[in-house]
Amino acid sequence: MKLDRMKELIEILNKASKAYYIDNEEIMSNFEYDKLYDELEGLEAENGIIFQNSPTQIVGFETISVLEKVRHDSRMLSLDKTKEISKLKSFLGENEGLLSWKLDGLTIVLKYENGNLSKAITRGNGEIGEDVTHNAKVFKNIPLKINFKENLILRGEAVISYSEFERINENIEENEKYKNPRNLCSGTVRQLNSEIVAKRNVCFFAFSLVSAGTKDFQNKKQNELEFLKELGFDVVEYKIVNAENIENIVYEFEAKIETNDFGSDGLVLTYDSISYSDSLGSTSKFPRDSIAFKWADEVRETKLIDIIWNTSRTGLINPIALFEPVELEGTTVNRASLHNLSILEALEIGIGDTLEVYKANMIIPQILENQTRSNNLKIPDNCPVCGNKTEIVKQKDTKVLLCSNPNCKAQQLSFLGHFTSRDAMNIEGLSEATLEKFIENNFISNYLDIFNINKFENEIQNLEGFGKRSYEKLIKAIEKSKNVDLPNFIYSLGISQVGLSNAKLLCSHFKYDIDKIVDAEKDELKSIEGYGEVISECIYNYFHQKENLELFYDALKILNINKPQEMENKLENLVFVITGDVSKFKNRKELQETIEKLGGKVTSSVTSKTNYLINNDINSNSSKNKKANELKIPIISEDEFISKFMNAEEHE
């Protein structure tokens, strides 16, 4: 409980510091701040544990010139693998074991000397890793100081959550986007500049203890993990299993895949007995006391029909494989992205080839293998949309295909599709197909033309699929879109690196003053929390191009920019978890946004910090309900949430 209180104090104090130093707001008095600070300092001294994000610590960012190679004290072996539950049962025999997530990140070894973090090393090739201590010190949840004076060595996984991955990808160009959270985490942890790492919220989950001096764990690995929890580490979720219950527990883990915020590529089973594990030794490749269980991906054979070349608004031309439909994980799929030319060439793709396809992590269609490898595909010399020459370039050691024409209609179409999308101008009914027709008929060439589309009333009504009624509906949607929040309008402009969240930060920083946003210098933009040199330069450059500025101010003459409403922070300091289906809101995202607008916070898992679990099925046996009941956290329905925390105006 004292560790929970420490984490709670850190969150409260950091929030107060951010409000005071960055937002120029005071959410608590100096007296209150000092009182809580002293309480935290006292708990740190009492427990001998200090977390890296504690306000009592000033951890400077560090930049190094190269990652130093470090030899591991003991060789780190890979795990033998199976996709059969029956093999897990036979592996256990009459022994008890620990079954845990096999997290999909980067394995890290941590060393502590005299209670202080002294070294963090990547797995590397198992014998030699890289020193990333400067970055581990800014991981989101690693304790810098622990209440244990003997030398301690542990292993764990550094991971970046799906939600953090999406946040980072949202704010970068299409061709710069990271493929998955693991790639992003691997690149992040090996950064030379720890300031970049700090902004990406890397988390660390301990999964095994290597050594802890003379500490006695009564021959149980579960005691080792519980000891690590007591020292302040987040430990990978695990269950005690035997041959009787392991099948059901595997299915319990599987049921959580869809809602997990952290990626996993299977489970790990290890014997609970330390002495028995030690007695088994290892082969030249694998330890004999542990085995990995991989989800049995459903793989289907199919035939490649065609490659579709899709030109994006950045000019990147992406290959998409179109194949004969197959059933995978309960759904029919007939296409999969090939991402870039490097992947295309590695698979030696050709029309008519026999492919093996599957769903990565049971979600995203992927090509596993090309059995035929005819390699007869011709890379297009011309953009499939505008006909201009294409060019093959290297970006981050990856070959990509680009359209050389900045006025390509596909780029124009993609941009206008972005401009009219839900989180941007939200113009209902103006689909990509309709935009394409309008561009082809020269009704629109830039976003401002959309608001003058009534000049072509007769021509539009005579288009195939249109008529008076559909035209009037479109005009009504365009008129409605003119009432827009400033962050949404700025997001709609398609400024490189500026997603909706960054647009909100920009507007908030300048108190929604449009002229100040337009005139902002790079240094001032860089002072915005979460901004760096790249995003600041993108915004500065956009508003210093004459054509962009003219369109921007012309649009402001016809738009009605909504002024931000001052909402009562009635949910301030309250933490919610949402699970199950919703009916009063469009989806769980809308409910989350409502909570956040009212000053509350939404997290993905139920902990002692959670104030309410929102679930319309209050009596369900879901894991979140069970956890809430264990911690005596109220479970409320949507109706109860609305009646307790909202009024009619807020939920119209």
Side-chain angles (χ1 to χ4, degrees):
M1 292 302 292
K2 288 181 179 178
L3 287 179
D4 290 337
R5 177 57 178 165
M6 286 170 65
K7 292 177 181 179
E8 182 182 21
L9 287 168
I10 289 168
E11 186 174 341
I12 293 169
L13 291 168
N14 285 342
K15 184 177 180 181
S17 294
K18 176 184 176 295
Y20 185 82
Y21 291 109
I22 297 174
D23 301 330
N24 294 317
E25 296 175 6
E26 189 170 332
I27 62 175
M28 69 170 61
S29 67
N30 288 339
F31 176 80
E32 290 174 302
Y33 184 93
D34 291 343
K35 182 181 176 183
L36 295 178
Y37 186 96
D38 290 343
E39 182 186 352
L40 174 61
E41 205 168 33
L43 285 171
E44 288 176 343
E46 179 184 342
N47 293 290
I49 295 172
I50 299 176
F51 292 99
Q52 71 85 13
N53 58 341
S54 171
T56 66
Q57 303 297 299
I58 301 175
V59 181
F61 297 122
E62 186 179 349
T63 302
I64 61 176
S65 58
V66 66
L67 295 176
E68 182 186 345
K69 302 290 185 183
V70 180
R71 184 172 291 277
H72 292 294
D73 295 330
S74 57
R75 192 171 167 218
M76 297 179 68
L77 299 173
S78 300
L79 296 179
D80 196 4
K81 301 173 181 63
T82 183
K83 292 188 177 183
E84 299 173 11
I85 295 178
S86 59
K87 189 167 180 180
L88 296 182
K89 290 181 179 179
S90 61
F91 176 87
L92 272 179
E94 296 180 357
N95 300 288
E96 278 199 334
L98 272 63
L99 189 67
S100 62
W101 289 114
K102 187 175 183 294
L103 294 176
D104 196 15
L106 191 70
T107 300
I108 303 286
V109 178
L110 297 182
K111 295 184 177 183
Y112 287 79
E113 296 176 4
N114 197 30
N116 296 303
L117 176 63
S118 61
K119 193 76 77 177
I121 311 164
T122 64
R123 181 186 183 279
N125 63 7
E127 294 185 359
I128 298 174
E130 293 174 312
D131 188 339
V132 291
T133 313
H134 67 300
N135 287 334
K137 288 179 178 177
V138 295
F139 284 2
K140 190 176 179 181
N141 62 338
I142 280 184
L144 299 179
K145 184 179 177 65
I146 58 174
N147 187 17
F148 185 73
K149 299 305 178 186
E150 296 185 65
N151 288 349
L152 180 82
I153 303 176
L154 67 146
R155 294 173 182 170
E157 200 81 356
V159 292
I160 288 179
S161 67
Y162 284 123
S163 52
E164 181 68 7
F165 169 73
E166 289 166 6
R167 180 190 72 80
I168 292 168
N169 259 357
E170 183 186 64
N171 297 312
I172 57 181
E173 286 292 328
E174 188 69 32
N175 58 314
E176 296 286 324
K177 290 185 187 298
Y178 294 92
K179 188 177 177 182
N180 54 53
R182 187 193 183 284
N183 286 1
L184 173 59
C185 184
S186 179
T188 298
V189 172
R190 299 178 70 254
Q191 283 281 341
L192 300 179
N193 185 353
S194 65
E195 186 173 4
I196 296 171
V197 182
K199 292 176 180 177
R200 292 183 179 175
N201 293 320
V202 179
C203 289
F204 176 86
F205 291 94
F207 58 66
S208 70
L209 181 63
V210 178
S211 63
T214 58
K215 178 77 175 175
D216 181 19
F217 296 100
Q218 299 177 330
N219 200 34
K220 287 183 174 291
K221 290 182 185 176
Q222 60 179 301
N223 290 345
E224 292 181 329
L225 295 180
E226 292 304 312
F227 170 67
L228 291 176
K229 283 184 184 179
E230 291 170 11
L231 293 179
F233 294 97
D234 285 330
V235 171
V236 67
E237 180 186 355
Y238 72 91
K239 302 276 187 183
I240 306 298
V241 293
N242 53 47
E244 298 289 323
N245 68 4
I246 190 168
E247 184 169 2
N248 288 335
I249 292 178
V250 167
Y251 293 142
E252 284 180 21
F253 274 106
E254 186 176 339
K256 296 178 182 180
I257 291 175
E258 195 173 334
T259 55
N260 252 10
D261 200 23
F262 290 104
S264 70
D265 54 358
L267 302 171
V268 174
L269 176 63
T270 186
Y271 297 115
D272 188 28
S273 169
I274 297 171
S275 59
Y276 183 62
S277 292
D278 291 344
S279 71
L280 296 173
S282 63
T283 69
S284 60
K285 291 184 178 180
F286 311 118
R288 289 194 173 98
D289 71 327
S290 302
I291 189 170
F293 174 78
K294 308 284 280 186
W295 309 115
D297 292 317
E298 200 174 1
V299 179
R300 293 283 183 269
E301 278 190 13
T302 185
K303 186 170 287 187
L304 182 68
I305 299 171
D306 199 4
I307 295 291
I308 300 170
W309 297 92
N310 182 37
T311 309
S312 71
R313 67 184 174 92
T314 62
L316 196 68
I317 305 176
N318 303 304
I320 299 170
L322 188 67
F323 44 77
E324 292 177 353
V326 288
E327 288 287 322
L328 283 174
E329 311 292 351
T331 62
T332 302
V333 296
N334 67 349
R335 62 179 58 205
S337 175
L338 287 163
H339 303 290
N340 54 59
L341 296 187
S342 293
I343 292 175
L344 197 94
E345 290 174 357
L347 286 167
E348 298 179 325
I349 286 289
I351 305 302
D353 282 354
T354 300
L355 307 177
E356 292 180 5
V357 295
Y358 73 108
K359 281 188 176 180
N361 289 330
M362 304 171 74
I363 299 171
I364 304 166
Q366 300 276 4
I367 294 174
L368 175 66
E369 183 57 87
N370 178 10
Q371 294 182 0
T372 316
R373 293 184 173 268
S374 64
N375 201 23
N376 62 18
L377 189 72
K378 187 177 185 302
I379 307 300
D381 295 322
N382 304 94
C383 172
V385 176
C386 70
N388 274 56
K389 288 287 184 183
T390 59
E391 51 185 335
I392 297 173
V393 299
K394 269 205 166 186
Q395 295 180 348
K396 292 184 177 178
D397 297 324
T398 300
K399 286 169 71 173
V400 298
L401 189 67
L402 287 173
C403 171
S404 59
N405 176 19
N407 297 313
C408 173
K409 285 189 175 181
Q411 296 179 52
Q412 197 177 25
L413 177 62
S414 295
F415 164 70
L416 291 172
H418 168 80
F419 181 82
T420 59
S421 64
R422 180 183 172 188
D423 286 338
M425 295 302 292
N426 192 23
I427 305 178
E428 296 178 7
L430 199 48
S431 66
E432 194 167 288
T434 300
L435 285 168
E436 190 171 10
K437 287 181 182 179
F438 287 1
I439 292 170
E440 286 175 356
N441 286 277
N442 296 313
F443 297 160
I444 55 177
S445 61
N446 59 57
Y447 68 83
L448 197 60
D449 291 339
I450 292 173
F451 301 104
N452 298 311
I453 203 72
N454 55 356
K455 292 191 298 185
F456 302 99
E457 178 179 353
N458 292 331
E459 291 91 332
I460 292 172
Q461 289 188 24
N462 289 322
L463 284 176
E464 185 180 348
F466 270 86
K468 184 176 181 180
R469 188 173 176 183
S470 56
Y471 169 78
E472 289 174 349
K473 190 176 179 182
L474 175 61
I475 294 299
K476 187 176 179 181
I478 291 172
E479 287 300 312
K480 182 182 176 184
S481 76
K482 289 181 180 179
N483 292 303
V484 63
D485 293 342
L486 185 58
N488 298 81
F489 176 48
I490 288 176
Y491 169 62
S492 76
L493 300 175
I495 303 171
S496 178
Q497 309 291 325
V498 181
L500 183 56
S501 59
N502 275 337
K504 288 178 179 177
L505 288 172
L506 179 70
C507 295
S508 176
H509 179 81
F510 290 104
K511 308 296 183 187
Y512 286 73
D513 188 318
I514 293 172
D515 290 331
K516 286 184 178 179
I517 291 171
V518 170
D519 296 333
E521 295 296 328
K522 292 179 190 177
D523 286 343
E524 188 169 10
L525 290 167
K526 278 195 287 186
S527 70
I528 300 173
E529 184 191 14
Y531 276 33
E533 192 162 338
V534 175
I535 185 172
S536 302
E537 191 163 337
C538 289
I539 294 170
Y540 178 86
N541 290 342
Y542 183 88
F543 286 117
H544 281 75
Q545 288 183 20
K546 185 180 177 183
E547 185 182 348
N548 292 340
L549 210 53
E550 286 176 355
L551 278 174
F552 180 76
Y553 277 116
D554 284 344
L556 289 177
K557 292 173 185 175
I558 61 174
L559 296 178
N560 176 30
I561 303 295
N562 301 325
K563 293 186 177 179
Q565 292 180 331
E566 293 295 328
M567 299 189 73
E568 181 186 355
N569 284 337
K570 60 175 68 177
L571 301 185
E572 189 173 2
N573 296 328
L574 292 182
V575 179
F576 294 81
V577 173
I578 306 166
T579 190
D581 295 328
V582 295
S583 57
K584 305 296 182 182
F585 295 83
K586 290 179 184 176
N587 47 44
R588 287 195 289 190
K589 184 180 178 183
E590 185 185 52
L591 175 53
Q592 177 178 339
E593 288 172 351
T594 301
I595 291 170
E596 289 171 347
K597 281 181 182 177
L598 293 171
K601 182 179 179 183
V602 177
T603 61
S604 58
S605 56
V606 178
T607 70
S608 59
K609 293 181 184 178
T610 306
N611 296 103
Y612 294 94
L613 171 64
I614 301 175
N615 187 355
N616 285 325
D617 189 357
I618 292 175
N619 298 314
S620 81
N621 289 318
S622 70
S623 59
K624 285 187 172 68
N625 275 29
K626 288 178 181 176
K627 189 69 173 177
N629 286 324
E630 284 174 18
L631 298 173
K632 295 184 169 47
I633 291 165
I635 305 173
I636 61 174
S637 66
E638 275 179 280
D639 286 329
E640 289 174 290
F641 170 78
I642 292 166
S643 64
K644 187 177 181 68
F645 297 111
M646 300 178 67
N647 54 43
E649 290 74 24
E650 289 168 342
H651 190 245
E652 55 188 2

